[in-house]
Amino acid sequence: MSKSVLISGASIAGPALAYWLSRYGFDVTVVERAPELRRGGQAVDFKGRTHFTVLERMGLLDELQQRRTGTTDTVLVDEHDRELAVISGEFTGGDLEILRGDLSEILYERTAERCEYVFGDSISALTELDDGVRVAFEHGPDRTFDLVIGADGIHSRVRGLTFGPERKLVKYLGHYYCVAGANPGNSAERQVARGHNVPGKLAVTGGSKGQQLYMFASPELDYSRDDVRAQRDILRSVYAGVGWQVPRMLDELDGFDDFYLDSLSQVRLDGRYTRGRVALVGDSAYGNTLGGFGTGLAIVGAYVLAGELALAEGNHLAAYPRYDWIMKRYAKIAGNSNAGRFLAPTTATGIKLRNWLLGSRMFRLMTQYADKAANDIDLRDYPALVAASSRR
């Protein structure tokens, strides 16, 4: 039985996987590039029976309900602040919305005593052996683990080392987004954000996703993800000359410690999330930025991967194909959706059509279809199955 597991990434998918694996008796180490747990960040959400079932089995649902953010309706306005359309909070925030930093903190607290966390380090090389994986770290000494799991996001280092370069496996979807300024609190009151479009650009102020949200169409940019000052300059350049409240918003950027700019991109692995002793979970495996299902996919994927490994008594040769098969079908809910085309249409006509769609019956049917897709999985009761297996 494979007992020692290294997980790369301590955001959502990593600690969720650590929770289940440690519960099933695996020895778990989580390595995180950041020097400490990442606080703040935009709100994330869960929707439907499947997500809630996993959260209930983790014993998290009540605490998440207590720390949920308020549902936020986004009112889209013209340059004179006159209302044009509304994106309902039920569409953007699912059935339960919580700040990413709060969710990460809760998961960490539930796993810290049973798992080893290593902050301020990252994987630099992986060498598969007959009986394990030799892992080289940027700072710490080499170590050997039975299995290695990449839960390190859409720009996954583990995926790059095992499956190939990002440029071949991640498709850029034509837009960038930026969240600036963390949500100031967890008010359960219904909130209202206001947003303004010009062709190819969206700016939103207020609400639970962050104090400011930007999305813009662009050719693929060459910038350092570690250089926040350069990223702020990019945003100012892109939005120069845009009216409404945008000049005021740009003036506030330097006062925000919480600032994140990234591309809208989709991981394309064709349903093979494992290779050798290495597996991927969460955005590293089936990420589609702002596609509406990322956090739920991460939680469900961690649940399935850990459950299959436990049922196979650590035999990855048996567990990994089952995980691939189950998640390939379920991950289709992320599909080929592109939030950029919907939220920041590149023409004035496209903006008008989007605004019309938001008030139409067709949009309500699309929302119902998405809700149904979030539950399209035969979710096994792994805790009960593992417990029954251990009694035999």
Side-chain angles (χ1 to χ4, degrees), residues 111-133:
T111 56
E113 291 186 1
R114 299 198 305 264
C115 305
E116 176 191 7
Y117 277 83
V118 179
F119 289 96
D121 208 347
S122 60
I123 297 171
S124 61
L126 297 172
T127 304
E128 185 153 340
L129 310 172
D130 291 338
D131 58 352
V133 183

Side-chain angles (χ1 to χ4, degrees), residues 1 20 32 39 59 76-77 87 153 189 203 207 215 223 226 256 261 302 309 347 375 387:
M1 178 176 179
W20 287 112
E32 166 57 47
R39 315 288 177 178
L76 299 172
V77 300
I87 305 176
E189 299 294 327
M215 188 173 294
Y223 67 95
D226 296 322
F256 295 136
L261 173 72
L309 281 169
T347 66
N375 296 309

Side-chain angles (χ1 to χ4, degrees), residues 124-146:
S124 61
L126 297 172
T127 304
E128 185 153 340
L129 310 172
D130 291 338
D131 58 352
V133 183
R134 186 72 171 172
V135 181
F137 295 93
E138 294 285 350
H139 304 296
D142 291 4
R143 295 171 64 178
T144 300
F145 298 87
D146 293 323

Side-chain angles (χ1 to χ4, degrees), residues 93 146-147 150 187 193 196 246 282 292 296 363 385:
D146 293 323
L147 303 174
S187 172
H196 176 61
V246 171
F363 183 71
L385 292 172

Side-chain angles (χ1 to χ4, degrees), residues 244-256:
W244 187 59
Q245 299 185 40
V246 171
R248 184 267 302 169
M249 294 169 62
L250 296 177
D251 286 343
E252 294 175 354
L253 284 181
D254 288 336
F256 295 136

Side-chain angles (χ1 to χ4, degrees), residues 180-182 228 232 253-260:
V228 175
R232 288 192 178 106
L253 284 181
D254 288 336
F256 295 136
D257 292 330
D258 204 74
F259 183 95
Y260 184 79

Side-chain angles (χ1 to χ4, degrees), residues 1-5 7 14-30 58 107-117 302 305-307 309-310 386:
M1 178 176 179
S2 298
K3 291 293 290 184
S4 63
V5 182
I7 300 171
L17 180 62
Y19 171 87
W20 287 112
L21 288 177
S22 61
R23 177 171 170 174
Y24 295 142
F26 292 82
D27 298 323
V28 180
T29 299
V30 182
M58 296 179 77
L107 291 169
Y108 172 76
E109 289 172 350
R110 296 295 180 98
T111 56
E113 291 186 1
R114 299 198 305 264
C115 305
E116 176 191 7
Y117 277 83
L305 177 55
L309 281 169
V386 173

Side-chain angles (χ1 to χ4, degrees), residues 201 214 216 228-242 246-247 249-256 259 261:
K201 300 170 189 176
Y214 302 87
F216 59 92
V228 175
R229 178 178 294 181
Q231 293 172 31
R232 288 192 178 106
D233 289 343
I234 289 172
L235 208 61
R236 290 190 177 99
S237 176
V238 168
Y239 282 84
V242 179
V246 171
M249 294 169 62
L250 296 177
D251 286 343
E252 294 175 354
L253 284 181
D254 288 336
F256 295 136
F259 183 95
L261 173 72

